[in-house]
Amino acid sequence: QEPESPGASQFRQAAARIPEVPFGLSTSPAVLSHYGVAANTVTLFRRVDNDRRDLDMNNNDVDAEKLTRFVRMNELRLVTEYNPVTAIGVMQSSLQLHLLLITDKLSPKHPERMRKYRAAAELFKGKILFILLDSNLKSNERVVSFFNLKKSQLPALAIFHEPDEEQDVLTLDEVSVRRVQDFCNRFLQ
């Protein structure tokens, strides 16, 4: 209710730490009612899976650090990079179909691969959660082995349907919007 309260100040500090995420502050009863948000609540709207997460700010120990962590743990982007922090948001997604691009982020081809992967992600927004998995990270080795892949077979696409653990893998020399789209459509059928 108070735009100059300590909680609002912590909110602004968190917003400054994450410039790539749009933040907004509202004291309007009409806006709060429209979104079904209680006062003194931080609500994270995730466009990727049309879901939301709420954080009650009435608890006095919520600070900018905890707010930043809340956003980082629960945000999902068009393409979400998988790591120990984002894993929580990925696992809690309402989207049960996950497509992983397992690739070397240090590769000179990485920026172009990501451009095409993001373009494909636009086509499946709200249907499939697109995830980037960096094959260089030791913490990701377990995921790579889960799909029975070796480093020599990368880059690869791996699709996973959470409820029944059905999966498919496609090794590729080059990422293209068409190949990603065909792979997803084939799995969906």
Side-chain angles (χ1 to χ4, degrees):
Q1 258 85 7
E2 296 297 320
E4 301 310 316
S5 71
S9 171
Q10 294 296 315
F11 180 81
R12 285 188 190 87
Q13 287 177 38
R17 292 178 182 182
I18 317 171
E20 68 276 13
V21 174
F23 279 74
L25 190 61
S26 179
T27 58
S28 162
V31 170
L32 298 177
S33 172
H34 174 77
Y35 290 107
V37 175
N40 297 324
T41 300
V42 172
T43 301
L44 177 70
F45 296 97
R46 303 192 314 190
R47 290 182 291 200
V48 170
D49 63 357
N50 294 320
D51 208 350
R52 68 185 257 186
R53 298 285 182 268
D54 292 325
L55 177 66
D56 184 354
M57 291 290 289
N58 289 315
N59 186 341
N60 293 334
D61 72 341
V62 176
D63 59 9
E65 191 66 42
K66 287 182 180 166
L67 263 169
T68 303
R69 184 164 167 69
F70 168 76
V71 171
R72 287 291 184 222
M73 283 172 46
N74 291 290
E75 73 172 322
L76 293 178
R77 298 164 184 247
L78 198 55
V79 174
T80 301
E81 184 167 352
Y82 186 85
N83 60 46
V85 175
T86 61
I88 294 165
V90 167
M91 297 307 166
Q92 292 179 346
S93 171
S94 60
L95 297 176
Q96 297 181 324
L97 205 50
H98 299 174
L99 179 71
L100 290 80
L101 171 59
I102 305 170
T103 187
D104 175 359
K105 275 183 65 178
L106 300 176
S107 164
K109 295 180 179 182
H110 180 71
E112 184 61 17
R113 283 180 187 145
M114 281 306 296
R115 189 185 66 72
K116 292 174 181 172
Y117 192 58
R118 272 194 195 90
E122 284 282 352
L123 304 172
F124 294 94
K125 200 157 133 183
K127 293 181 189 145
I128 300 174
L129 183 59
F130 276 62
I131 300 166
L132 169 67
L133 191 95
D134 185 0
S135 59
N136 291 314
L137 295 181
K138 191 127 181 83
S139 59
N140 288 339
E141 286 176 358
R142 212 174 83 232
V143 179
V144 174
S145 67
F146 175 80
F147 291 105
N148 297 316
L149 287 165
K150 295 175 180 57
K151 269 202 171 204
S152 61
Q153 296 174 293
L154 303 178
L157 291 174
I159 198 161
F160 180 75
H161 185 243
E162 213 172 275
D164 58 13
E165 295 191 4
E166 190 177 333
Q167 60 175 282
D168 196 9
V169 174
L170 174 68
T171 57
L172 3 113
D173 37 313
E174 216 35 66
V175 174
S176 74
V177 175
R178 182 61 152 174
R179 287 190 79 185
V180 173
Q181 189 177 10
D182 289 347
F183 181 65
C184 290
N185 284 331
R186 211 171 34 249
F187 190 83
L188 286 169
Q189 288 171 355

